[in-house]
Amino acid sequence: ANLDDKSQKKLDDLNKKSGKDFDKAYTNDMLGDHKDAVDLFQKGSNDLKDADLKNFASTTLPTLQMHLDSIKAIAGKK
């Protein structure tokens, strides 16, 4: 349906850009989002009490970390 305000702002900002400016903004957004996801899933894999959720966080974390590593490589960051 509708995006939250933060997501809508990101979309609006990206829609105003093109070429290298778009690529840089999109890559930076992906970097931040993937870092946030990895942090959240790391915390969940350590702190969650529900065994199913903890297992989901633990088994999903390597894929998220791989995605973060990929976007870091694309962005030229370590």
Side-chain angles (χ1 to χ4, degrees), residues 9-18 22 25-26 29:
K9 182 178 179 344
K10 279 185 180 184
L11 181 61
D12 292 343
D13 289 344
L14 285 173
N15 279 326
K16 294 175 187 173
K17 299 181 184 314
S18 63
F22 175 88
Y26 181 81
D29 282 348

Side-chain angles (χ1 to χ4, degrees), residues 22-35:
F22 175 88
D23 293 346
K24 184 175 180 178
Y26 181 81
T27 301
N28 286 337
D29 282 348
M30 290 298 98
L31 252 174
D33 291 345
H34 281 82
K35 284 180 185 177

Side-chain angles (χ1 to χ4, degrees), residues 28-71:
N28 286 337
D29 282 348
M30 290 298 98
L31 252 174
D33 291 345
H34 281 82
K35 284 180 185 177
D36 291 346
V38 166
D39 290 346
L40 182 65
F41 276 69
Q42 280 178 332
K43 183 173 176 16
S45 67
N46 292 325
D47 298 342
L48 285 168
K49 303 297 183 224
D50 183 285
D52 290 335
L53 288 175
K54 188 171 188 162
N55 183 52
F56 175 75
S58 296
T59 58
T60 305
L61 186 56
T63 301
L64 293 173
Q65 184 63 56
M66 184 177 64
H67 291 181
L68 175 58
D69 293 344
S70 294
I71 196 64

